[in-house]
């Protein structure tokens, strides 16, 4: 029988043991597409869930979507994926960075977006 206190509790979403993604390696192998996702605390490796004959551009899009969803679902953050030019025809790498926030402009900032802890500047180069 369930205790009354236990029955009314909601399950809290646990934060993932691995950190926010920082990079991706995508490999085309004879058995399919493989990924390695570099995080703050290690590397996650696995198979990309696309057919073996998927075009490399589509495989890169699928890998980027996977990492973007991972960051959003497990870390409540948005990331951007930037693919580097390939060094080999079967291997791609990407840098994963935190996406710029799309906050509404602050009236005190003269129409510029204000973020806590970030100094605003009138200099077009962004120097405070």
């Amino acid at each position: 029988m369930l205790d009354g206190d236990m029955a009314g509790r909601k399950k809290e979403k646990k934060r993932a043991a691995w950190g926010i993604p920082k990079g991706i390696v995508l490999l085309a192998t004879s058995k399919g597409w493989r990924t390695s996702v570099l995080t703050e605390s290690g590397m996650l490796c696995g198979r990309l869930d696309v057919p073996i004959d998927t075009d490399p551009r589509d495989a890169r899009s699928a890998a980027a979507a996977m990492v973007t969803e991972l960051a959003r679902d497990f870390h409540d953050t948005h990331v951007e994926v930037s693919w580097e030019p390939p060094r080999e025809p079967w291997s791609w790498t990407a840098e994963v960075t935190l996406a710029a926030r799309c906050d509404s402009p602050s009236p005190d900032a003269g129409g510029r977006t204000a973020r806590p802890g970030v100094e605003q500047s009138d200099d077009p180069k962004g120097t405070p």
Side-chain angles (χ1 to χ4, degrees):
M1 185 148 101
L2 289 175
D3 181 281
D5 290 332
M6 292 297 287
R9 289 186 190 169
K10 289 184 180 180
K11 245 186 179 178
E12 288 186 29
K13 186 176 178 181
K14 276 190 164 182
R15 185 177 171 120
W18 58 85
I20 295 174
K22 297 290 182 191
I24 307 171
V25 176
L26 177 65
L27 301 171
T29 71
S30 60
K31 295 183 180 181
W33 293 94
R34 305 289 302 178
T35 60
S36 295
V37 179
L38 175 65
T39 71
E40 294 172 328
S41 58
M43 190 168 286
L44 305 167
C45 300
R47 183 179 63 86
L48 189 61
D49 194 22
V50 296
I52 196 167
D53 60 348
T54 298
D55 183 80
R57 287 177 295 227
D58 295 334
R60 288 192 303 269
S61 293
M66 176 191 69
V67 169
T68 302
E69 291 170 8
L70 175 104
R72 183 192 65 224
D73 294 348
F74 290 98
H75 298 287
D76 294 323
T77 190
H78 297 281
V79 296
E80 294 176 349
V81 176
S82 302
W83 291 98
E84 298 169 3
R87 295 183 187 170
E88 301 288 336
W90 45 266
S91 174
W92 296 265
T93 58
E95 181 180 14
V96 180
T97 56
L98 294 177
R101 293 182 53 174
C102 296
D103 296 328
S104 58
S106 166
D108 296 334
R112 294 184 307 260
T113 301
R115 288 185 283 169
V118 177
E119 281 190 58
Q120 297 296 318
S121 168
D122 291 326
D123 182 351
K125 294 180 183 176
T127 309

